[in-house]
Amino acid sequence: MGDDAGKGMEECHKNIIPACCLKARASVPEHEAICHSTVVSGWFSKSHSPSNDTRENYFNNPMWPGEAHSLKVESILYSGKSQFQEILVFESTSYGKVLVLDGIVQLAEKDEFAYQEMIAHLPLCSIPSPKNVLVVGGGDGGVLREISRHGSVEVIDICEIDEMVIDVSKKFFPELAVGFEDPRVHLHIGDAVEFLRNAPEGKYDAVIVDSSDPVGPAQELVEKPFFERIARALRPGGVLCNMAESMWLHTHLIDDMISICRETFKGSVHYAWASVPTYPSGVIGFLLCSTEGPAVDFLNPVNPIEKVEDAANNKKERRYYNSEIHAAAFALPSFLKREAKSLQHFPNPHKA
């Protein structure tokens, strides 16, 4: 890990302890090691704002108003601040190590595989023999780990804006960061919007956007110009898989994203979902799009993982994704179809 990350670990002990943690320390002195601005009496609660005063913003989060998910903390392993965000890693009692960026859980060891496997294999198993793949974000390395299962892939570009996320992940989440060890991976540190602006037209078979929630600077990653740049970078019949929030909390955002993508991508557009307990409401969605060209049937994988997996380089078994889960992920509940009007014209995945 770089010098900046090392200094960040030292800063953990220099931060001003918030009043809530001082109170907890007074009653249970031995818990001093788990004090942090988002930890109250040994419990981590998601917070949108990196502010030390979580009492004011914790119920007010614009992405999941009126609710919170708490994880009990064993110890704080790392606390630092990069040029872009606050980074926290803690050991939880039931979910293993947890990575938090600006107060929002990004992954936990217990269930990370569900998200990483789905966001990678839903697109890559929907097209024959993908060769060139771009990952936007994904600094923890988990998506790279899953892409490396595909022996047909020749080049994996990853554009991550925050190098400290990579350094922290390599130190505390080696089972995810192992993805960076694949010789096909080419790392680009920088802004994804700028990277895509300069990408050759039609270069990629697949683009996977593993982004943060669309708040603040990340807002432009769900807007039309960004999707237009992705469409330009994809070959005819190329595919996009974009993280697309929770159907229980963000139907308006899902509706907007699908509408934009239907205007931008002239192939097909679909919404899929998976169960990930540590994410708000316990589910996360994925937007699957293809450009005009060879037809892409997202609902029926033409490149099944069971046949293409590069077993020689991936001794660790998949724990969530398979071809049955792939097909089932596109079955949507009735309330979502009603509330997200852009979904009302989706074909029924169970009809022949």
Side-chain angles (χ1 to χ4, degrees), residues 45 105 139 160 174 184 231 300 340:
S45 292
V105 167
E160 165 62 53
R184 295 170 291 180
N300 299 290

Side-chain angles (χ1 to χ4, degrees), residues 31-86:
H31 283 185
E32 175 177 344
I34 61 173
C35 282
H36 183 266
S37 62
T38 51
V39 175
V40 181
S41 299
W43 289 80
F44 171 83
S45 292
K46 291 182 178 180
S47 165
H48 162 62
S49 170
S51 166
N52 280 342
D53 191 358
T54 58
R55 292 171 297 176
E56 293 183 0
N57 56 44
Y58 141 75
F59 288 113
N60 242 349
N61 195 293
M63 293 300 293
W64 40 91
E67 63 180 80
H69 180 200
S70 295
L71 299 173
K72 191 168 186 180
V73 177
E74 288 286 351
S75 61
I76 290 176
L77 304 177
Y78 175 85
S79 179
K81 189 169 184 178
S82 73
Q83 179 183 348
F84 304 97
Q85 57 202 337
E86 286 193 349

